[in-house]
Structure formats: structure tokens, C-alpha cells
Amino acid sequence: MNLFHHFLEFIKDNQLITSSQKILLAVSGGIDSMVLLHLFEKSEFQYGVAHCNFKLRGKESDADEKLVREQVEMHGAPAFFESFETEEYAKINGISIEMAARELRYEFFEKVRSENGYDYIATAHHQDDLIETFFLNLTRKTGIKGLTGIKEKSGNLIRPLLFTGREEIERFAKDYFIEFREDVSNSDVVFQRNFIRHKILPLFSELNPSYKKNMLESISNLRDAEKVYDAFISGENRNVVQQTDQGLVFDISALRKTTFPLLVLLETLKNYRFNPAVTEEIYNSLDADSGKQFYSRTHRVVKDREKFFVLPLADKQEHIFYIEKEDIELFKPLDLVIEKVDRENFRLSKQPNVASLDMDKLQFPLLLRKWRQGDYFQPLGMNGFKKLSDFFIDNKIPVHEKESTWLLCSGQKIVWVMGHRIDNRFKITPETKHILRIELRTLNSKL
């Protein structure tokens, strides 16, 4: 069976693509991706092409792009090209060139996929890449998932060449005169993957000529074990993790009762880009005071007394909104119902999400903003003033909750710590003639 028929069979057996789906091919111009492009050109699948120019090899990178453009134009497939300042991105984010290129590449592919109606992104990873990834992850701090390597399908990614290896791809490219570009950096052993490819794996081949076949079978066995592992972690997580509107919440007491609490943390938090070293710090903080925080590039973990909160990193820009005197509803950033109440029909609500205010003491427009360090107010029932930071501590309000707390202000004065307490200066008294009732319903925005 030739490579093309094996390709179609692999797709069918693994249910990677249906005839109605559109596939976005990641094509670099190298031999693997150009063979993948050729196979799709021969097939009846709907496809488009995405290419990244990382500007790392000067004219060589431009020549890669030129080849891909020419090949795509011959067949009339939709094509998407993007250039990146990869070195600058790596420097700004404090990561390696390899990691920078990976992040830029997949962010671009996903953007094109979602905006243009493609179902999957197809990459040209093959069996040799699978084995290299195994050894690469083995040198890092990884678990069983890292050792099972690249999957045929993972989220929006598919790898239709995982049935074959580098030798077969090179032979196919030669037999069908497929033009491709050779990336000279592929031979540079400064890069970890290249070091494994050119220095380590040839030694395994000398040790055992059948090592590649045995490695692939071992990885297959590990994948079976991974299924058992996943089922165990899912079972442990049922009593430990809860998804809420604010984010993921870990019950620390329930976590302690699991058989392997660190593993539960590792497997869950890696989905939020926490590396193993940071996750171990989180695990070691189980007995620490509340308020301790840990960060990944996209999220943070906040430790409360009995819970861990996993929250997306917030937008640091301050947003301010105004309520005019004639407003009766507000939907952003908060879902508010605002009404002027007749004194004779007024019934005082003790619910913390309702503020009943002496309207004549308010200065319009009212202002909505997040609380800041140094803010103070006069809590209802008190004669003196209190810092908000102290108010939050006294009322045992978790860090993540106080950070999302909004204030209703009249001029420079705080009228209501929304959802918690109004200011004593704006309360209803026997002398009050006009009442403004504001009900906080739900939080509509993460601003």
C-alpha cells in the first residue's frame, strides 16, 4: 500500500476528518508539511493553508514563504500568511526562541481557524517526531501524559501523518518530485530536539536496530495506561474541584483526602499553564496563610482559608462607569435595577445586594469603579471611618472576591461597597423624603 492510500486509511480508522469538514494545513515549506500538502491536494478533502514567517533566517525564511505561496497558487486553495518578530517576542516574554515560535504559530493558526470556519488544524508531525517528543519530555519534569507524546487528535489539532516516519516521507517526496525547502537550523544541535535527533537516537539505533518499532509499541502501551490514569484522576476530582462563574475552585479539605493530592493538582492546573514547579509550590502552601498567590502566564491561583481559586489574569486597566439621575437599568459592568421609591410604599430590604439610599444626599452622576488601596468609608451603623482593606479582612472576604468588588460613589464619597455594605452617611432616616433603591442582580462583565 503506498503512502497516499495509507494516509486515507489512517484518517478513516482514527475518524480524523469527514467529507464535510474543512481543514487548515500548517505548511512551513519543509519536507514534512509539503508532503502533507501534496496528500491533501490528491484527496477530496476541503483544505486551506496557513504559513508563518518567523524572520529568523533572513532571506531563507522569505524563500520558504515564496515556495508555499507558489505551490498554493497552483491549486487555488485559500491561503493565510503572517510574519512575526520572533526574537523580540521571545525577549519580551522571557522565553526561548523555540517556545516563542511555537506560541506565535499556534495562536495564529487558531485565529485563522476560528475566523474562517475551519474545523481542524492539521500538522505534519510523524512517528519520528513522536519518539523525539518522548525523549524531550523525559528530560523535563513530566508525567505519563508527557511520555505518551503527540496524539492523532487533540482538541482542534489533528496529525494525519502519525502512521508513517521520516524515511517514508523522504522516499515519497523523491518519488513524486515534491519541492521543499531544507531548514539548515534542523542540523543545529544547539536546539534540544535536534540534539536528540542527531546525537541520541542514532545511538539507540546502534544498540537495537528495532528500537523505533519497540518505542512506538511502548508509547502505545503507555497510552492504554494513561486511560486508566485519567479515569482515576477524574474520580478524585469529583469531590475536589468545582467550576463556578468566577473560575475553578479547589476544596483544600477534600484535596487532602485524595490518595495523590499533588497529582490531582498537577493534572488539573497544567490546563491553566501552571508548570510542575509552580504547582508543587501551590501544594506546599496547603498549610500557609490565606492570600498567597501563584501565577502562570494566563492564570493565577489564590489561596483562601479552605479553598484554592484558579482565576484568569485580570485586565489591569481601570474602568469607570456613570449612572445618570434618569437611569432605571444598567447592564455593564453590572446588572443593576435602579428605581425611585415613594416613601409611603417603601419597605427596607436587608439583602446585601440591595442598597436603599437617601436620594437627596447623592450627587449625580453616580460613579461605578473598582476599589483601590487607601479607599475608606463609614460602614452602616458606625460613626467612624474604616479602610476598605480592613473591612474586607474583618468580614473574611477572599482575595479574589475583594479584587472584583465594585464601589458606587457620589463625588469622592463611597456610597455602597456593592454586595456588602452601604455608607452610613447615605442611609434612610426619618427625615428622608426621596429614596433611590438599587438592586445588584448578576455580574455581566469581567472588567
Side-chain angles (χ1 to χ4, degrees):
M1 182 183 296
N2 64 33
L3 194 75
F4 177 65
H5 289 100
H6 202 165
F7 164 77
L8 296 178
E9 187 179 79
F10 181 77
I11 288 173
K12 181 181 177 182
D13 290 346
N14 290 276
Q15 299 179 330
L16 297 186
I17 309 170
T18 65
S19 59
S20 63
Q21 291 176 324
K22 292 171 59 180
I23 310 302
L24 182 67
L25 308 183
V27 181
S28 67
I31 186 170
D32 303 333
S33 64
M34 293 303 285
V35 165
L36 179 66
L37 176 58
H38 180 84
L39 293 170
F40 269 87
E41 288 168 351
K42 289 183 56 146
S43 76
E44 295 182 357
F45 295 122
Q46 303 175 69
Y47 72 93
V49 171
H51 173 85
C52 300
N53 185 336
F54 295 109
K55 296 186 177 181
L56 294 173
R57 295 164 27 247
K59 293 181 180 179
E60 293 294 313
S61 294
D62 295 336
D64 294 347
E65 180 179 330
K66 181 174 180 289
L67 172 64
V68 176
R69 284 185 183 276
E70 291 173 348
Q71 184 65 33
V72 171
E73 287 171 4
M74 286 174 55
H75 295 271
F80 308 87
F81 294 84
E82 187 64 85
S83 296
F84 299 104
E85 300 296 337
T86 312
E87 290 183 347
E88 182 179 347
Y89 180 88
K91 189 178 297 183
I92 290 172
N93 290 280
I95 55 179
S96 68
I97 294 291
E98 288 175 284
M99 183 58 70
R102 174 183 170 81
E103 288 188 4
L104 290 169
R105 176 167 62 243
Y106 283 109
E107 285 176 9
F108 170 60
F109 293 159
E110 178 54 29
K111 181 174 183 289
V112 173
R113 186 200 69 79
S114 61
E115 291 181 357
N116 295 276
Y118 288 93
D119 295 282
Y120 293 105
I121 299 161
T123 66
H125 290 101
H126 49 73
Q127 289 177 348
D128 291 82
D129 293 317
L130 178 61
I131 293 171
E132 290 164 10
T133 300
F134 172 90
F135 283 102
L136 191 61
N137 287 342
L138 197 61
T139 66
R140 300 166 178 166
K141 205 164 189 176
T142 190
I144 190 170
K145 290 182 182 295
L147 299 182
T148 58
I150 307 165
K151 305 292 195 302
E152 292 83 2
K153 179 183 285 188
S154 177
N156 294 323
L157 287 172
I158 58 172
R159 285 94 175 189
L161 294 185
L162 274 185
F163 66 89
T164 190
R166 186 170 290 114
E167 287 184 11
E168 293 83 359
I169 288 171
E170 290 174 351
R171 187 160 50 245
F172 184 83
K174 182 179 179 181
D175 290 345
Y176 286 86
F177 304 100
I178 296 173
E179 190 175 358
F180 62 90
R181 296 272 307 161
E182 185 64 55
D183 185 346
V184 294
S185 67
N186 285 339
S187 59
D188 190 346
V189 294
V190 169
F191 298 109
Q192 293 181 342
R193 184 176 289 275
N194 291 343
F195 185 86
I196 291 171
R197 180 182 302 170
H198 299 296
K199 296 288 187 179
I200 304 299
L201 296 185
L203 296 177
F204 274 91
S205 186
E206 288 182 21
L207 181 66
N208 182 355
S210 300
Y211 93 93
K212 185 180 293 186
K213 175 178 176 293
N214 294 339
M215 277 294 304
L216 292 171
E217 290 180 1
S218 295
I219 291 172
S220 178
N221 292 337
L222 283 170
R223 288 184 178 179
D224 289 338
E226 182 186 4
K227 293 174 184 176
V228 178
Y229 176 81
D230 284 343
F232 172 78
I233 293 296
S234 296
E236 295 280 74
N237 259 341
R238 286 193 195 98
N239 299 319
V240 175
V241 181
Q242 182 183 3
Q243 186 68 52
T244 70
D245 291 340
Q246 294 178 315
L248 204 66
V249 181
F250 281 85
D251 184 307
I252 293 175
S253 176
L255 179 65
R256 291 179 190 276
K257 295 175 183 176
T258 62
T259 311
F260 302 104
L262 178 57
L263 280 183
V264 171
L265 282 174
L266 283 167
E267 292 303 329
T268 308
L269 293 180
K270 73 178 184 182
N271 298 322
Y272 300 88
R273 303 185 73 172
F274 285 91
N275 64 42
V278 175
T279 302
E280 285 193 22
E281 288 183 28
I282 295 169
Y283 173 71
N284 292 331
S285 76
L286 288 177
D287 296 319
D289 294 335
S290 62
K292 199 170 177 66
Q293 301 189 48
F294 307 86
Y295 292 85
S296 74
R297 294 188 63 199
T298 58
H299 288 74
R300 63 181 174 138
V301 165
V302 179
K303 185 185 183 298
D304 192 35
R305 293 165 180 78
E306 293 299 330
K307 298 181 187 301
F308 283 128
F309 297 90
V310 185
L311 309 165
L313 293 182
D315 181 0
K316 293 184 180 179
Q317 178 183 356
E318 181 170 16
H319 299 267
I320 298 175
F321 300 84
Y322 297 91
I323 299 177
E324 301 291 347
K325 200 168 188 176
E326 59 273 13
D327 287 339
I328 59 171
E329 283 188 307
L330 188 73
F331 295 105
K332 184 177 181 181
L334 305 168
D335 185 356
L336 301 178
V337 175
I338 306 163
E339 59 180 330
K340 301 171 183 68
V341 182
D342 187 282
R343 180 63 195 253
E344 292 181 5
N345 299 321
F346 174 68
R347 295 289 182 273
L348 183 66
S349 172
K350 295 183 179 181
Q351 296 299 316
N353 66 314
V354 176
S356 298
L357 308 167
D358 188 324
M359 191 168 176
D360 294 325
K361 295 177 181 177
L362 299 172
Q363 175 187 330
F364 287 87
L366 300 176
L367 180 147
L368 276 175
R369 65 170 174 85
K370 291 287 188 68
W371 84 282
R372 310 175 189 131
Q373 286 292 342
D375 278 332
Y376 62 91
F377 78 128
Q378 190 179 88
L380 181 66
M382 288 183 60
N383 293 322
F385 290 93
K386 195 179 193 71
K387 284 186 177 180
L388 253 67
S389 55
D390 293 335
F391 173 78
F392 290 141
I393 291 171
D394 292 347
N395 287 273
K396 299 180 179 180
I397 297 171
V399 172
H400 75 284
E401 188 177 328
K402 74 178 183 182
E403 288 181 352
S404 63
T405 298
W406 287 82
L407 304 180
L408 178 70
C409 302
S410 174
Q412 298 298 315
K413 298 176 182 176
I414 294 173
V415 176
W416 183 23
V417 181
M418 303 186 74
H420 297 287
R421 190 86 57 86
I422 68 167
D423 187 290
N424 199 63
R425 293 169 290 181
F426 298 92
K427 69 182 179 181
I428 306 300
T429 68
E431 290 75 35
T432 299
K433 296 178 180 178
H434 304 99
I435 297 170
L436 187 71
R437 183 183 186 275
I438 304 178
E439 181 179 353
L440 170 63
R441 292 194 294 199
T442 57
L443 186 66
N444 275 350
S445 172
K446 293 183 179 179
L447 292 176

